Amino acid sequence: MEFLLYLALGACAGVLAGLFGVGGGIIIVPVLVFSFTLQGFDPSILTHLAVGTSLATIIFTSVNAVREHHRRGAVRWPIFAWMTLGILIGAGFGALTAEAISGPNLQKIIGIFALIIAVQLALDFKPKASRTVPGKVGLTVAGSVIGWASAIFGIGGGSLTVPFLTWRSVPMQQAVATSSACGLPIALASALSFMILGWHDPLLPAHSLGFVYLPALLGIALTSMVFARLGARLAHRLSPRLLKRLFAALLFCVGLNFLL
């Protein structure tokens, strides 16, 4: 039964990754926390396990989304290259930060983040394109901050990268495409860090690789890779306004659930 949940979750995450460039982690983490709680996993590690597993799934989600965006010529690869340098540094520190936070407190932090993203989506708030793309140092610094935060929240960074790039005058479709590309190094560096940090934790359930739960990873990966391409295609054809409002309502409920 749990594996069917993971398959459905992967489909939703894949569509979200391609459509909004958000990586799907903002939905994956809460659902995994709920699932792991029902499975009786230890409360002190289940949130870290959910975050680490979410980051690992984004590796698979990103690959097909990036391929589709690249095929359409929408990825700004020079921006990606310099942001990735900072992402690799920030993601490692983000994983260390998350490990130092207790499970219940980490859930509250993720809940607050979900509420912030819900409000941003509901109001369709987008920073105005008021500045040009920064230089190599600026992109590296931005990447490190985004990588650090993404590792804590278990996300691909799209909810941070897209607003940053649009603020820096990158057109929306290119911002979403480049954000999807940046999600791959974020996921790789963060997931590897969570694997290493949780490697010898005695409270982990069977079939775990550090703070990555392999059955959930497999189920989500199987469907997310297919549906990410669908989401990327929809991003170039549909106006996502209504979907954003519905997504915002869902995130608002998720955030409140984590805080109450």
Side-chain angles (χ1 to χ4, degrees):
M1 188 64 184
E2 288 84 3
F3 193 71
L4 293 177
L5 172 65
Y6 300 144
L7 290 173
L9 181 56
C12 294
V15 171
L16 291 173
L19 189 58
F20 301 127
V22 299
I26 195 67
I27 289 299
I28 292 175
V29 172
V31 176
L32 287 181
V33 167
F34 179 72
S35 174
F36 293 166
T37 301
L38 291 179
Q39 290 176 257
F41 293 174
D42 192 284
S44 65
I45 57 94
L46 70 81
T47 306
H48 297 84
L49 192 64
V51 171
T53 304
S54 170
L55 289 162
T57 65
I58 293 169
I59 297 172
F60 300 94
T61 305
S62 296
V63 171
N64 276 1
V66 173
R67 285 177 59 190
E68 188 66 26
H69 285 303
H70 174 67
R71 188 176 68 82
R72 297 173 181 270
V75 181
R76 297 278 292 270
W77 290 111
I79 294 177
F80 163 82
W82 287 103
M83 288 191 70
T84 295
L85 180 61
I87 283 168
L88 295 176
I89 298 170
F93 282 106
L96 287 169
T97 304
E99 190 200 24
I101 302 171
S102 69
N105 287 334
L106 186 58
Q107 286 189 30
K108 288 182 173 61
I109 292 171
I110 294 171
I112 293 170
F113 180 72
L115 290 177
I116 292 171
I117 299 303
V119 171
Q120 185 265 325
L121 287 171
L123 300 179
D124 201 22
F125 173 75
K126 299 173 184 175
K128 294 182 179 180
S130 57
R131 299 191 181 187
T132 58
V133 176
K136 298 173 182 177
V137 174
L139 288 173
T140 302
V141 171
S144 64
V145 173
I146 291 170
W148 174 79
S150 299
I152 295 174
F153 300 130
I155 61 173
S159 51
L160 304 173
T161 307
V162 172
F164 168 72
L165 291 178
T166 53
W167 174 51
R168 289 296 188 158
S169 302
V170 176
M172 178 55 72
Q173 285 189 347
Q174 293 182 9
V176 170
T178 306
S179 169
S180 291
C182 288
L184 187 56
I186 287 174
L188 282 168
S190 302
L192 181 61
S193 298
F194 272 88
M195 286 180 187
I196 294 171
L197 291 171
W199 195 263
H200 295 296
D201 197 309
L203 298 176
L204 288 171
H207 313 300
S208 296
L209 197 62
F211 287 130
V212 174
Y213 186 56
L214 296 180
L217 172 60
L218 177 62
I220 295 170
L222 283 173
T223 50
S224 66
M225 293 184 70
V226 176
F227 282 85
R229 297 185 70 178
L230 172 62
R233 289 172 185 168
L234 290 174
H236 293 271
R237 296 179 184 178
L238 302 176
S239 171
R241 187 173 183 179
L242 176 60
L243 289 174
K244 280 188 176 182
R245 298 289 169 84
L246 294 174
F247 187 39
L250 176 60
L251 285 181
F252 189 78
C253 294
V254 167
L256 284 181
N257 183 63
F258 270 16
L259 290 173
L260 299 178

